[in-house]
Structures are given as C-alpha cells and as structure tokens.
Amino acid sequence: MLGLLRANFRALCVSILLAPAVLGASWIVPGAVWTDTSGNKIDAHGGQILQEGTTFYWVGSAYASNEVPNIYSSTDLLNWTFQGPASTAVEFMYRPKLFTSGGKFYIWGQVNRLVQALESSSINTGYSVYGSAFSLPPDARTYSDEGIFVDTTGEAYILTSADSNNLQINEINGGSSVSIGTRIDNGNLIYLTEGAYEAPGLMKSTGGIYYLVMSTKTGYTANANQFWWSTNIAGPWNGPSGIAPSSSNTYDSQNTFELKISGSQQTTYIYMGDAWDSEGTAASNYEWLPISVDDSAHTITLEDYAFWKVDVSTGVITTSTTGKRYNAADGLIMRRAYLVVEDSCVACERSVHNIDSQSNVTIHNIEGTGEPQWVSIHYTVSDPTAGDAYVWLNGEKIKIADKNSRAGKFATVPINLTLKKGNNNVLTFGCHAYAENSDFVAHLEGIEVVDD
C-alpha cells in the first residue's frame, strides 16, 4: 500500500510539473484573446454582467457550444472562472441577459426571434426553462437583438431591436414571478428610434441622463455605433451621434452592454462590445473600453486604451505604464524594407517602411521572464483587407490577427507571448499579401514588452 501511495504521489507531482501555467490577468486588453482561469478561451458573446455582492457574473452565448448561455465569475473584471453553462436545455439563445427579481435570477435571451426565459435560485448555475417563449406586446412583434436595463429606481426593462428595424422598450413585471410588461409609449410615442439599428444597450449617468447605444445593421462587419440621449426613459430621444471616431468602426466592435461600476471615488461606465470575426464564430474576441460621460454636452465617448483596468472598489481607471521598448530601426532589416526618419521631427522614433512579403525586420536580445507576457507590436499596414502581419518568436510563426482582432487596423496591437527567461529572445516581423503582385506592405516602429 505504501508503494502504491508513493507511486500515486510521484504521478501527481509529475502532472503538476507538466501542467501549463495559467497566470492571473493584470490588464483588460481590448481585442486580444481572453482566457479563463483554466486557460480556455472565454466564450460568452452578446452578453452582459450582473454584480452580486463583490462578485461579477458574465453571461453570454457560447458560440462553440450551440449558443447555450455560458456563465463566468470574477471579483476584479480581469480573472474569469468558468461556472459552466447556465442551462443546456435551450440552445441557440442569442444575446442572453441576466437580472434578479423576488430573490431569484433570470436569464432572458432570443430564441427563434422570441424571448425565452430561464430561472434559478442561484445566480451561477441550475437554470431551468421558465415558461414558453413569447413575443413582444402589444402587437406580438418578433425581434433580433435585446438588452436589459435596470434603472436606479429599481424598475427593469427589456430593450429589443424589432424586425421592423425599430427599437422598443418594454417594462419587466417583477416580484415572485416575472413577465414582460407594456411597451413604453409616453402617451403617443410608438417607437423610440426609427432606423435599421440593433444591439441595444442603455445606461443612466449620475446626472440622470439616459444614454442609448446601438449599432447599425451590417451583419458581423463592424460599424460606427451610435448613441441617443434623453432625460426620460420613454423619450423623446436626441441623436444619433457617434460614440467613437467614425473611421474606427467602434474600434472594430459591436455593442452588447454598458456596465456601471459604483466606486467609492468615482462612478465608471464600461462599454462591452463583441469584436466579431467575419463569420461570427467562437474565434471572435471582446472589446471593453471605459466610457467618458459629459452630461453638460450630452455626450458619451469611448476612451481607447491598449491596456487598462478598473479598481472595482474605487472605480478608478488605470492605464498601462510603458515597458521596455525595442525600436525597429535597431533591428536587422532584410530585403526591400527601409528606414525612415522624419526630417521635421528630430525627436521622432525611426520606423521601418515597405515591409512586403519578401522583407522582414529581426530584433535580437529581447528580455523575457519565461512566463506569458504582453508584447505590444507598434505597426500599421497599407490595407488590412489585403494581407496579414506575422511575428516569428524564437523561430515560431505567429499570425498577429490570431492573437488580437485589432491586428492591422490600429497602430498598437498587444499580443500575449511566452518569452524565454533572459535576454536571448529573437523576434522577426514580416507580412504576407493575399494576392501575388500585391502592393500590400507594413511599417514597423518597434515592440514593447509590458512590465506586468
């Protein structure tokens, strides 16, 4: 028996040594591949977050598992533990949203263009089907996308982008049982916003202004999401206006929810978006950014950071400090690429231009920790639709777009890499055009290994 125990102990030690390390997340990195505390890619699209006590619960559609609603939990909005599917009894549930009423928890999601409800006495598990799927009163409309909003007064509402291409808001009747209530008309208003809009989300500022966020209908291609404002949830609504520079297409994402953090020092609002791939698959990533609110101007604006985090106790936003910089100009430049220095800017960093499919830049003596680290690649391409950029880390080829959906579209693209411990790491940057004789090129300013 003692020998068996020793053998089992040795086997356990070996399994622990061979198990891949999963380090805690230090930053929210928009567009990057996010993994849970077990190292698996997070799969919770079209979702929403509900805070219960000091824990946040994220519900979203599992696109790798027939769109069942997955639930993850976190105490810091950085490290997410997979709680499992809320229920496998209902599949192909899109844009699930979570709320509580009468001591129970409910998930409402779109199934076959109707509202399907799930109910549980526990927020993170054990959901069962709650009644039959239903359409939208008062005229039995169906819909595509939905949102849930709980006002500071406690009233809850469901927002839907109806098949008529109009938004409507219905009350949710709460208590010991829940049901959909009347549509908000404000006496004579039938639809709140006319137009081909979807992906609705709603937030209320500390100044009492309601801000409605929606995207236009372009499938899984990102567009410039818009916002409207009102002093009354029933309208009238003023807008639309962009929440980000139009050319950014909402930083290549689509709205799903606006999260409010009521901190001890400030109230912070967070835009939660999906960074869809071209087909809307489980390979899609997430784009979360802080929202700047100006009630005097009636505007909300996304604050674009490559790295950021929020202290969930204080509400204070922190952005990344700089790490160790390695300039492309100090690397080995091969083939047709060439160094460019702006004559009008002596202090400007030098960058390497005209990196085509036959060219590359190799940077030596990069220092690493031997554990996963964030490495920012500072580069641009001539046409994001014409090719891809790659890095070769110590000989391993990595397509940057597989690590971050912002690849080729924004000048700073963080990716998670495991560098060898010490300063003997080698990274080569290059690109590949989709078509022969293409004019696709990249230019590289350098890379930056983030401190933590």
Side-chain angles (χ1 to χ4, degrees), residues 150-362:
V150 179
D151 208 336
T152 52
T153 57
E155 286 88 358
Y157 302 88
I158 180 171
L159 299 74
T160 53
S161 56
D163 287 345
S164 57
N165 285 341
N166 293 289
L167 172 83
Q168 72 177 60
I169 300 178
N170 288 75
E171 297 174 344
I172 297 176
N173 299 320
S176 57
S177 62
V178 299
S179 62
I180 192 165
T182 58
R183 185 181 62 206
I184 297 176
D185 288 333
N186 203 18
N188 55 16
L189 190 61
I190 298 176
Y191 303 112
L192 298 180
T193 306
E194 295 185 359
Y197 298 106
E198 62 182 3
L202 187 61
M203 56 176 271
K204 185 180 183 181
S205 71
T206 54
I209 306 296
Y210 295 92
Y211 294 95
L212 169 68
V213 181
M214 299 185 75
S215 77
T216 54
K217 289 189 173 183
T218 55
Y220 290 113
T221 301
N223 58 67
N225 289 198
Q226 304 291 303
F227 78 88
W228 294 255
W229 69 271
S230 176
T231 56
N232 190 316
I233 194 172
W237 293 90
N238 303 277
S241 300
I243 62 172
S246 179
S247 60
S248 75
N249 285 325
T250 324
Y251 303 107
D252 203 38
S253 71
Q254 182 186 41
N255 179 60
T256 183
F257 185 68
E258 280 61 53
L259 174 64
K260 178 181 179 181
I261 304 295
S262 299
S264 60
Q265 296 184 31
Q266 66 184 56
T267 299
T268 297
Y269 300 89
I270 298 171
Y271 164 88
M272 291 175 56
D274 286 294
W276 297 111
D277 63 14
S278 60
E279 298 180 354
T281 71
S284 303
N285 297 324
Y286 309 95
E287 186 83 12
W288 293 4
L289 292 169
I291 302 173
S292 174
V293 181
D294 186 344
D295 279 343
S296 61
H298 300 121
T299 60
I300 56 174
T301 307
L302 301 189
E303 299 178 351
D304 183 30
Y305 298 115
F307 299 87
W308 69 280
K309 57 187 171 184
V310 57
D311 186 315
V312 296
S313 297
T314 65
V316 173
I317 296 290
T318 301
T319 58
S320 173
T321 57
T322 57
K324 187 170 183 178
R325 175 89 176 202
Y326 300 84
N327 293 322
D330 298 326
L332 178 63
I333 304 171
M334 300 295 293
R335 298 284 181 108
R336 301 172 185 171
Y338 57 84
L339 184 64
V340 171
V341 181
E342 294 289 342
D343 294 335
S344 60
C345 181
V346 177
C348 290
E349 296 286 359
R350 298 174 298 169
S351 58
V352 178
H353 284 231
N354 200 44
I355 305 171
D356 60 13
S357 298
Q358 305 301 316
S359 310
N360 60 59
V361 179
T362 299

Side-chain angles (χ1 to χ4, degrees), residues 116-175:
Q116 179 59 66
L118 303 174
E119 179 195 54
S120 177
S121 58
S122 176
I123 190 172
N124 64 332
T125 189
Y127 285 83
S128 58
V129 175
Y130 183 74
S132 301
F134 53 87
S135 58
L136 306 173
D139 49 5
R141 288 184 180 268
T142 57
Y143 73 101
S144 55
D145 291 355
E146 73 171 63
I148 294 287
F149 171 71
V150 179
D151 208 336
T152 52
T153 57
E155 286 88 358
Y157 302 88
I158 180 171
L159 299 74
T160 53
S161 56
D163 287 345
S164 57
N165 285 341
N166 293 289
L167 172 83
Q168 72 177 60
I169 300 178
N170 288 75
E171 297 174 344
I172 297 176
N173 299 320

